[in-house]
Amino acid sequence: MILRERLTRLWRESRGTLLLILLLLTFRSALADWYDVPTGSMQPTILEGERILVNKLAYGLRVPFTGTREATWAQPKRGDIVTFPSPRDGTRLVKRVAALPGDVVAVQRGILYLNGQPQPTEAAPAPPRWPLPPDDHAAHHRGKGRRHVGLQRK
């Protein structure tokens, strides 16, 4: 009887916290999630180590905690940035869509060909740098004897 009373009291005291955790996990599973970018392959658009927010509703609705699609309203297009697990080790990859189903893809001498046509190889423009006013001391701060860069001057 004492055990049952303790469990009942524990449930009453912690159910709000447990509900919050369940809602957060559901949100991350079905609506949006965040990932750290593991490689520099998207530079200069996205830098290695940056954290990105992923809209999981961009292409359809999934049942939380499963891979089951409930509804689909869009398909990836060329130029979209997508995330997916690496088939090699499961690392979350961040890549730009270059080809669609049915496209013929070839790489010859470092040039990407889609359906027999060479694709432009110019780099994407670098993201803007936010200039700091000259009297701003937030650009550099010291911590534990090391210099940490915060914002960069233009």
Side-chain angles (χ1 to χ4, degrees), residues 10-11 13-25:
L10 180 64
W11 168 248
E13 291 175 356
S14 61
R15 67 180 167 206
T17 304
L18 294 173
L19 180 61
L20 179 66
I21 291 170
L22 180 64
L23 287 172
L24 178 63
L25 292 174

Side-chain angles (χ1 to χ4, degrees), residues 61-90:
L61 179 64
R62 286 191 322 188
V63 177
F65 310 112
T66 71
T68 307
R69 283 235 179 255
E70 199 59 37
T72 301
W73 43 73
Q75 294 295 321
K77 301 181 298 284
R78 275 190 198 95
D80 284 358
I81 296 175
V82 296
T83 63
F84 56 93
S86 167
R88 185 176 306 149
D89 60 6

Side-chain angles (χ1 to χ4, degrees), residues 1 19 38-39 50 80-81 96 99 104 106 120 136 138 144-145 147:
M1 230 26 185
L19 180 61
T39 67
E50 285 186 328
D80 284 358
I81 296 175
R96 187 174 308 275
V104 177
D136 193 336
K144 297 184 181 180
R147 184 174 176 191

Side-chain angles (χ1 to χ4, degrees), residues 2 6-7 13 20-21 52 65 87 90 92 103 105 112 145:
I2 294 174
R6 283 186 179 175
L7 290 175
E13 291 175 356
L20 179 66
I21 291 170
I52 60 170
F65 310 112
R92 179 65 56 178
D103 285 344
V105 179
L112 174 66

Side-chain angles (χ1 to χ4, degrees), residues 2 12 18 32 35 43 45 47 65 73 79 90 94 96 128 135:
I2 294 174
R12 269 188 269 129
L18 294 173
Y35 299 111
Q43 287 183 8
T45 310
L47 302 176
F65 310 112
W73 43 73
V94 179
R96 187 174 308 275
D135 61 341

Side-chain angles (χ1 to χ4, degrees), residues 106-113 118-122:
V107 177
Q108 297 172 356
R109 291 186 290 274
I111 298 173
L112 174 66
Y113 287 82
Q119 299 301 300
T121 58
E122 57 198 52

